[in-house]
Amino acid sequence: MSKEKLVVEILGAHNLMPKDGEGSSSAFVEVEFEGQRQRTQVKYKDLNPIWNEKLVFHVNDVADLPYRTIEVNVFNEKKSNNSRNFLGKVRVSGTSIAREGHDDVIPQLHTLDKRSLFSHVRGEITFKLYLSVKENVKGGGAVVSGGGVVVSGGVSKKGKKFIQNQNTNTVVQNHQQMSGQENKKMTHPNQMIQKPDPNHQGGDLKPVVITSIPGPPIPIVPGGGGGGGRVGLFSGGSNDQYSLKETSPHLGGGLLNKDKTSSTYDLVEQMQYLYIRVVKGRDIPVSGNVGEVVAEVKLGNYRGITKRVGLNNGEWDQVFAFSKDTIQSSMVEVFVKEREKDDILGRVWFDLNEVPKRVPPDSQLAPQWYRMDDKRGEKGKGGEVMVAIWFGTQADEAFSEAWHSKAANVHLDGLGSIMSKVYMSPKLWYLRVCVIEAQDVVMGEKGTSLMRYPELNVKVQVGNQVLKTRVAPAMANRSLSNPYWNEDLMFVVAEPFEDYVMVSVEDRIGPNREEVVGRFLLPVNAITRRLDSKEVASRWYNLDGHLGNPNESKSVVRFASRIHIRATLDGGYHVLDEATMYSSDVRPTAKQLWKPHIGVLEMGILGASNLMPVKIKEGKGGSADAYCVAKYGQKWVRTRTVVDSLTPKWNEQYTWEVFDPCTVITIGVFDNSRVDKNPVGTRDSRIGKVRIRLSTLESERVYTHAYPLLMLHPSGVKKMGELHLAVRFSCANMLNMLHIYTMPLLPKMHYVQPLSVNQLDSLRYQAMNVVSARLSRAEPSLGREVVEYMLDHDSHMWSMRKSKANFSRLTTVLGWLVFINRVIEAIRNWHTPVYSSMFVFAFMIMVLLPELIVPSILLGFAVTGLWRYRLRPKYPPHMDTRISQAEGVHPDELDEEFDSFPTSRSADIVRVRYDRLRSVAGKIQTVVGDMATQGERFQALLSWRDPRASFLFVMICFFAAFGFYLVPIRWVVAIWGLYFLRPPRFRNKLPSSAASFFKRLPTMADSML
């Protein structure tokens, strides 16, 4: 036996699964190595326990350590019956064991694994593994160096309480020390390995990475080889900052300020503005040669300047809007000046106390001519200017086009990018090109000079989309010049149809070398449109074969090659341009197939609060120029940009027609990069996104909530602020609404002539490119980065975090099966004899009266649904960091998620990630193999691979057939049920004969390498 001892230093665990029925757990750790088993003390009522205990084990042979494993199990202690619940396990290879005193002895963070597929496990555990000659294997509750405790047996309650308090105080002290040094320990998010400071001398808690004390996040030092090398970032405290909050805004101006706009703008808070419309001027006195003039509106310290126009046609027709909370004077002045000069050509002023108030739907206030004073102040000698001035709200028609006083610092080129606009997505069609065959294809000059079999394929290009058919196969009944493909190629095109379809027949003459032997162009607007799956007549098109010699006239062509094509514009499909699970529209392309809308969605985008600074401005520190984009169906809306504000107020209301309630509206918040005079980049930064599924909203109810804006960064999840929305979903006819739930989700063509998953993914990417290209041509434009973020273009990319989240969702869905199994087992074991007796009585009634089974089940569902109506969600769902597995995600996994495709990381990092992926895939492979094994055993019952087992099964079935024929089925079921539910004292703990027989059947695993 070696003198060196294996030390497993258990540091702590995080986010354990509550198993005591009271929302907590009393956890302890049990470690097993080479037949030795030791455990830590119990941490009562703590989901984030901290032990800092050293468990020491004998090592028979140090050379065999790489071939040994250390199994770490976490359990919950149940005082009631002296049993324990499984909380998770970790199995670590001996290759990750270092020697004491080396730099490799650093904490290793491991995610707790399940014991079986349906185990309810979550959380992580942190420990250190190393060899030491100083430690000795101790029993009882002896204290070892450093304050850790080795627990092999029980410890008195008093001792437990003392040790727990001692450890808690130490945690608080170390947490305060680490909080004070937080800024010094921040590292680059891509940095995976960080060596600890060898000169740092502190308590045993210096490597503790998990804390339940509210405070700032504590960075984790990543582990070394083997099972280490994982990095995590945990923060204590509650998740209230990520939750949905209900708000109480004064919608429509409040109860005491209702006016005629409340019916139209009743989901936003009223904002008062002073509007000044400067139309044109005339008879302006000038001296000398004056080329261009401008009009200037001045209110206190705010100044707005119109565009430059010529003196002869001096028509500005511009609106200026001054927010009422920024009015600094009781007088507003309008000047007419010469371009780039301070000399005043004319001036007129207005008293704000005399300005009228306009309330839509009143017509616009008519502008009037006002005489201006000249630069010397002489009245009526400065010409005339046509002006309209009034007080109004954001419901005014002039609001969206007006120059706002809060945008005074925006340069002239950026003014167009801050206005609110409504965009319409282009109408998208699926273009199906069926390449059938070709005739009399003439090989090119290069192709005929080679003695070879021609490899002909067809390339079809529409805009930037290029697809190719397979190489035409050799057929006995067709010559080499008459290839046959019969292959469909799908494209996405948008109205108006301006593109051409270019069809080229190519001959592959070498690797990456292809020669065009013929082509033709087909305008998209000449292609037949169809609304259903009826076949459209195909056509023959002549190929232009003299591509290599442009001087050759068409009249001297030897003969014409031709190609057989069937091209259609399929209007019966819905062109998916966003993720299917977040789709906002499922109508077919053709308007003839649309059905009337069933409701109206109204949304008031009120504002945002507590936004994180996105940019640094000179003299102002951190700031943001935020605007909001909402997308539902083909309609995109963009609010105006609020400049230099971390609490922007938009108060803009929009309306959408709803054709299907099972759709999602997406709202995103962005920072406008075009506001700055010298922008660092032209891409607008993402601030956050909110999704609302309409089917989760009650009809006619106004939802006013503050939604958290969560963003996933390489350093972890961050709350970027809160978005305040008011949402109302109105339904005109409830019967039509309920009828929609019985209809197919997608149009008929998706089921009659379905597209493959790969086709849908490719077409969705093409559709997103078309939409982003069209919206980028608008003014102000929606950048490609905005469209991609709103349409979730990267939702299909691999992510370890998403994989864990989806697996957790799957186990939650299957959890009800586990619950039913537990209930049945509790009844079988007669833990509560009263309930077990009632179940047996009900079972016998169902057997004797089988006509009551189905009605009872349906009645049970109905009663359960009515009972749970009072527990229905009060708020719409929002981004959940717990479901997304975003809070405790490892920074390395986040770095992998944000990595480009193909990867741009170093080979060592890619190798670590590949090994991690292999370990996960190995577990999945084992589960799939076990499922296949069970299925193959069923097939082996009658396959006669095991002749004795098949003979036994056939004979049992033969005699059972006679038995079931002679005995009524209800009596068989009753006898089987009573036998299955018999009390434990009448049961044997060994498996049943049927289970033993089934497990002995052969499988195809015997034939696998």
Side-chain angles (χ1 to χ4, degrees), residues 378-448:
E378 297 183 7
K379 295 185 178 182
K381 296 186 178 181
E384 293 181 319
V385 63
M386 181 179 285
V387 176
I389 180 170
W390 71 95
F391 279 109
T393 65
Q394 73 268 32
D396 203 292
E397 294 89 344
F399 176 78
S400 60
E401 299 292 339
W403 174 93
H404 290 267
S405 57
K406 293 186 178 180
N409 297 326
V410 179
H411 65 101
L412 190 60
D413 296 334
L415 282 176
S417 68
I418 66 173
M419 296 182 180
S420 59
K421 292 292 181 181
V422 175
Y423 308 83
M424 296 301 295
S425 293
K427 192 174 182 180
L428 303 178
W429 291 72
Y430 280 151
L431 170 61
R432 184 189 299 269
V433 179
C434 180
V435 182
I436 303 174
E437 59 180 335
Q439 285 185 354
D440 303 329
V441 176
V442 180
M443 299 296 107
E445 296 295 333
K446 298 179 182 178
T448 55

Side-chain angles (χ1 to χ4, degrees), residues 942 944 948-962:
L942 296 175
W944 293 89
R948 286 170 292 277
S950 296
F951 172 77
L952 185 59
F953 179 71
V954 169
M955 295 307 296
I956 291 174
C957 291
F958 184 76
F959 287 108
F962 282 98

Side-chain angles (χ1 to χ4, degrees), residues 607-637:
S609 60
N610 303 321
L611 292 182
M612 294 284 289
V614 181
K615 60 181 70 170
I616 303 296
K617 294 193 174 183
E618 295 182 3
K620 297 181 181 180
S623 183
D625 304 317
Y627 67 93
C628 194
V629 176
K631 193 263 182 189
Y632 183 78
Q634 292 184 330
K635 183 177 178 180
W636 299 63
V637 300

Side-chain angles (χ1 to χ4, degrees), residues 283-303:
D283 300 334
I284 300 174
V286 295
S287 58
N289 186 14
V290 177
E292 295 177 329
V293 293
V294 296
E296 178 183 312
V297 178
K298 182 180 180 183
L299 178 61
N301 293 328
Y302 291 98
R303 294 194 311 165

Side-chain angles (χ1 to χ4, degrees), residues 612-894:
M612 294 284 289
V614 181
K615 60 181 70 170
I616 303 296
K617 294 193 174 183
E618 295 182 3
K620 297 181 181 180
S623 183
D625 304 317
Y627 67 93
C628 194
V629 176
K631 193 263 182 189
Y632 183 78
Q634 292 184 330
K635 183 177 178 180
W636 299 63
V637 300
R638 169 179 176 152
T639 66
R640 72 187 188 282
T641 300
V642 178
V643 182
D644 289 340
S645 177
L646 298 179
T647 56
K649 297 292 183 183
W650 295 294
N651 283 302
E652 299 182 24
Q653 184 169 339
Y654 299 95
T655 304
W656 290 267
E657 291 182 339
V658 178
F659 294 85
D660 193 313
C662 303
T663 46
V664 177
I665 182 172
T666 304
I667 309 100
V669 183
F670 302 87
D671 177 76
N672 196 336
S673 64
R674 299 170 179 83
V675 171
D676 301 329
K677 191 171 184 178
N678 298 313
V680 178
T682 58
R683 294 175 62 88
D684 292 348
S685 302
R686 307 169 179 176
I687 297 179
K689 181 168 56 178
V690 172
R691 300 190 196 98
I692 302 176
R693 184 169 291 274
L694 271 59
S695 59
T696 62
L697 304 178
E698 298 179 8
S699 299
E700 308 299 336
R701 175 184 169 185
V702 177
Y703 292 84
T704 55
H705 293 91
Y707 293 82
L709 295 173
L710 305 178
M711 280 291 294
L712 199 62
H713 295 273
S715 58
V717 65
K718 289 184 180 180
K719 182 179 178 182
M720 304 294 291
E722 293 178 342
L723 178 64
H724 297 259
L725 300 175
V727 184
R728 178 174 57 212
F729 176 42
S730 304
C731 173
N733 191 327
M734 184 57 67
L735 292 179
N736 291 341
M737 172 84 72
L738 298 178
H739 177 65
I740 290 293
Y741 279 86
T742 64
M743 302 296 292
L745 182 63
L746 294 173
K748 181 180 177 181
M749 281 289 289
H750 284 271
Y751 306 99
V752 175
Q753 200 168 350
L755 302 174
S756 66
V757 176
N758 291 335
Q759 276 183 312
L760 288 175
D761 288 341
S762 175
L763 292 172
R764 181 189 161 217
Y765 179 74
Q766 295 176 14
M768 187 202 66
N769 288 334
V770 174
V771 172
S772 62
R774 288 292 179 91
L775 294 181
S776 64
R777 293 161 58 182
E779 184 61 36
S781 63
L782 279 181
R784 182 180 179 87
E785 68 279 2
V786 175
V787 176
E788 288 181 349
Y789 186 56
M790 296 292 290
L791 297 181
D792 289 286
H793 76 292
D794 56 352
S795 60
H796 64 286
M797 298 297 291
W798 157 257
S799 167
M800 180 69 77
R801 174 189 61 83
K802 291 182 181 179
S803 301
K804 291 180 179 179
N806 289 332
F807 185 77
S808 176
R809 290 168 57 200
L810 178 62
T811 54
T812 303
V813 169
L814 299 178
W816 67 275
L817 294 175
V818 180
F819 173 74
I820 292 176
N821 181 62
R822 289 177 179 175
V823 171
I824 294 176
E825 285 297 321
I827 293 174
R828 285 190 66 203
N829 294 327
W830 292 75
H831 290 159
T832 309
V834 175
Y835 293 158
S836 299
S837 302
M838 292 174 60
F839 184 81
V840 172
F841 179 73
F843 174 77
M844 294 303 299
I845 292 178
M846 293 299 173
V847 171
L848 297 177
L849 301 172
E851 61 272 11
L852 296 179
I853 295 177
V854 175
S856 299
I857 294 175
L858 297 178
L859 183 61
F861 283 136
V863 172
T864 304
L866 293 175
W867 175 258
R868 298 189 64 179
Y869 177 76
R870 62 188 183 87
L871 303 176
R872 67 191 185 279
K874 297 295 190 298
Y875 306 139
H878 64 286
M879 301 287 187
D880 195 321
T881 56
R882 181 185 59 84
I883 296 177
S884 306
Q885 300 279 336
E887 292 183 275
V889 64
H890 300 173
D892 181 49
E893 295 179 2
L894 282 176

Side-chain angles (χ1 to χ4, degrees), residues 167-458:
N167 289 338
T168 304
N169 295 334
T170 314
V171 172
V172 173
Q173 295 173 4
N174 282 270
H175 177 77
Q176 293 173 351
Q177 294 174 6
M178 297 176 73
S179 301
Q181 301 173 359
E182 178 187 7
N183 296 332
K184 300 179 181 179
K185 295 185 178 181
M186 294 300 293
T187 58
H188 194 275
N190 294 338
Q191 185 176 350
M192 291 186 55
I193 299 178
Q194 175 185 359
K195 294 185 178 181
D197 185 4
N199 299 323
H200 179 72
Q201 300 292 335
D204 287 325
L205 292 174
K206 64 181 179 181
V208 173
V209 295
I210 302 165
T211 175
S212 58
I213 303 171
I218 300 176
I220 293 181
V221 181
R230 301 191 178 190
V231 187
L233 190 65
F234 301 110
S235 61
S238 62
N239 292 337
D240 292 342
Q241 61 173 336
Y242 298 144
S243 62
L244 193 69
K245 300 176 183 177
E246 189 170 10
T247 59
S248 301
H250 297 283
L251 301 181
L255 297 176
L256 302 178
N257 193 23
K258 293 290 184 181
D259 54 29
K260 288 179 283 186
T261 65
S262 62
S263 60
T264 306
Y265 289 87
D266 58 343
L267 293 183
V268 293
E269 297 177 315
Q270 283 194 3
M271 301 174 67
Q272 299 293 329
Y273 286 90
L274 171 66
Y275 291 97
I276 303 172
R277 186 185 191 94
V278 182
V279 184
K280 56 184 177 181
R282 67 183 181 187
D283 300 334
I284 300 174
V286 295
S287 58
N289 186 14
V290 177
E292 295 177 329
V293 293
V294 296
E296 178 183 312
V297 178
K298 182 180 180 183
L299 178 61
N301 293 328
Y302 291 98
R303 294 194 311 165
I305 302 176
T306 65
K307 58 187 177 183
R308 301 185 293 266
V309 297
L311 184 62
N312 297 328
N313 55 348
E315 186 167 342
W316 299 286
D317 196 16
Q318 257 182 274
V319 181
F320 299 85
F322 296 86
S323 178
K324 196 170 184 179
D325 57 358
T326 62
I327 293 179
Q328 304 171 345
S329 174
S330 60
M331 180 181 66
V332 60
E333 299 174 282
V334 179
F335 302 97
V336 177
K337 296 181 177 181
E338 187 178 352
R339 173 189 174 185
E340 297 178 355
K341 291 185 179 180
D342 293 334
D343 293 338
I344 299 174
L345 302 179
R347 170 183 176 272
V348 63
W349 60 273
F350 301 90
D351 187 356
L352 297 185
N353 296 321
E354 304 297 329
V355 173
K357 181 178 181 181
R358 174 185 176 247
V359 180
D362 291 350
S363 299
Q364 292 188 5
L365 199 67
Q368 301 180 27
W369 287 103
Y370 293 92
R371 294 185 178 275
M372 296 188 294
D373 301 340
D374 62 5
K375 58 183 178 181
R376 292 188 296 271
E378 297 183 7
K379 295 185 178 182
K381 296 186 178 181
E384 293 181 319
V385 63
M386 181 179 285
V387 176
I389 180 170
W390 71 95
F391 279 109
T393 65
Q394 73 268 32
D396 203 292
E397 294 89 344
F399 176 78
S400 60
E401 299 292 339
W403 174 93
H404 290 267
S405 57
K406 293 186 178 180
N409 297 326
V410 179
H411 65 101
L412 190 60
D413 296 334
L415 282 176
S417 68
I418 66 173
M419 296 182 180
S420 59
K421 292 292 181 181
V422 175
Y423 308 83
M424 296 301 295
S425 293
K427 192 174 182 180
L428 303 178
W429 291 72
Y430 280 151
L431 170 61
R432 184 189 299 269
V433 179
C434 180
V435 182
I436 303 174
E437 59 180 335
Q439 285 185 354
D440 303 329
V441 176
V442 180
M443 299 296 107
E445 296 295 333
K446 298 179 182 178
T448 55
S449 62
L450 302 175
M451 298 300 296
R452 62 179 185 83
Y453 173 79
E455 300 181 15
L456 297 174
N457 67 284
V458 177

